[in-house]
Amino acid sequence: MLTHPQFDPIALDIPIPLLDKHLQIHWYGLTYLVAFGLFLFLARLRVKKPWFAQAGWTARDVEDLLFFGVVGVVLGGRLGYVLFYKPAYYASHPLEVFAVWKGGMSFHGGLLGVVAAMAVFAWLRQRHFWQVTDLIAPCVPTGLASGRMGNFINGELWGRAADPSLPWAMVFPQAGPEMMPRHPSQIYQFLMEGLLLFVLLWIYGRKPRGLGQVSGAFLFGYGVFRFIAEYFREPDNFLGLLALNMSMGQWLCVPMILAGAAIWAWGSRQPVPTVAAGGRA
């Protein structure tokens, strides 16, 4: 049985003598920076694919996509948490909606925010929405993996109680005085909806696919992996388990899985982009 290392959440503490203050950089902020950097790197590789290059995609488009995506994930993640998890509380404390430094972000809300941002981008650039999301979908899981590492470093979003004989069962002291062994569910999510989903989507997206198929595969794959991981993750204490003993995260994954399967099936009937002579898929 292991014990969480209790990392200092502050990665860098830089003194500023002239102001008699310190510039503190948190690990969680660095994981966001890593996520954005990985997106830039991977999306620039994606736009070099012949079917994207022939459609006029450039590295500059990737930079603009990142800007739109950052705005979407921050606004959507916060509003999703407010609306999905604590609507009554924030209805009574509306000004705290803006207190993002107190925590509270929802992946599902962030996803909706990114979808909205990509729709705006597609409209402004006169591109097909599904072409935009097919481009970025394989570049997203590495960012999710980075975020889960941030959760683990912070010792938050810990797992449910585990058998003490489980070699990687871990005690999270911040989870309560009972010091019970738990599943390190952040690592499970890092491996499944992060690394594994990235590998599967990157391989699947190496060849031209029908419009929307890569996007559908992302929604379906994330929904399935997150649904599984939720069985090992401690439900939010202010919600607990809901109908059918499923967590809020699992219920939010159900429409993702169904929508992903439907979009993929629709995309399978769309024409596959052709590669001009001399291009490599």
Side-chain angles (χ1 to χ4, degrees):
M1 189 170 65
L2 308 172
T3 300
H4 184 265
Q6 298 292 281
F7 298 101
D8 186 339
I10 300 173
L12 296 171
D13 190 342
I14 305 172
I16 307 176
L18 292 177
L19 299 177
D20 194 26
K21 294 184 181 296
H22 286 248
L23 173 63
Q24 296 182 333
I25 301 175
H26 289 70
W27 283 110
Y28 203 64
L30 289 179
T31 64
Y32 268 74
L33 187 62
V34 169
F36 298 149
L38 287 172
F39 176 87
L40 278 176
F41 173 72
L42 294 171
R44 283 173 174 166
L45 293 179
R46 289 279 289 164
V47 296
K48 292 179 181 178
K49 294 291 184 182
W51 54 96
F52 288 121
Q54 289 171 186
W57 286 93
T58 67
R60 184 63 179 270
D61 292 321
V62 171
E63 296 169 5
D64 294 339
L65 277 170
L66 177 62
F67 172 77
F68 277 79
V70 169
V71 173
V73 76
V74 172
L75 294 180
R78 183 58 175 172
L79 290 176
Y81 182 80
V82 169
L83 297 175
F84 298 153
Y85 289 90
K86 288 186 172 182
Y89 175 82
Y90 286 105
S92 302
H93 306 80
L95 292 180
E96 290 202 27
V97 170
F98 305 100
V100 294
W101 56 89
K102 293 184 179 181
M105 295 286 282
S106 161
F107 167 80
H108 297 89
L111 176 65
L112 292 175
V114 169
V115 168
M118 293 304 101
V120 172
F121 178 91
W123 175 69
L124 291 174
R125 299 299 174 86
Q126 295 185 329
R127 291 191 177 275
H128 198 292
F129 171 75
W130 293 117
Q131 185 185 69
V132 175
T133 57
D134 283 347
L135 169 65
I136 69 170
C139 311
V140 173
T142 52
L144 302 180
S146 182
R148 292 309 174 196
M149 285 306 301
N151 295 145
F152 180 76
I153 290 171
N154 285 349
E156 61 192 7
L157 306 183
W158 48 77
R160 303 187 193 190
D163 189 325
S165 65
L166 187 70
W168 55 84
M170 182 170 289
V171 173
F172 290 85
Q174 54 270 67
E178 66 277 6
M179 302 294 282
M180 71 170 61
R182 296 177 178 272
H183 289 280
S185 56
Q186 314 97 321
I187 302 300
Y188 297 174
Q189 292 185 264
F190 166 82
L191 293 173
M192 287 194 296
E193 66 202 44
L195 294 188
L196 179 56
L197 183 58
F198 164 70
V199 170
L200 294 175
L201 285 177
W202 195 257
I203 293 173
Y204 184 68
R206 288 179 64 183
K207 294 182 178 181
R209 304 290 177 182
L211 196 65
Q213 281 197 292
V214 178
S215 303
F218 168 80
L219 286 174
F220 182 84
Y222 178 86
V224 168
F225 289 141
R226 175 68 182 268
F227 190 93
I228 295 171
E230 285 284 331
Y231 280 116
F232 301 95
R233 176 172 161 174
E234 183 73 14
D236 297 284
N237 57 12
F238 54 86
L239 285 177
L241 294 176
L242 306 177
L244 302 180
N245 281 327
M246 287 165 50
S247 68
M248 174 62 81
Q250 287 176 311
W251 276 110
L252 292 174
C253 283
V254 172
M256 283 187 69
I257 294 171
L258 296 176
I263 293 167
W264 186 91
W266 173 81
S268 68
R269 298 191 294 272
Q270 304 305 307
V272 176
T274 56
V275 178
R280 288 184 59 190

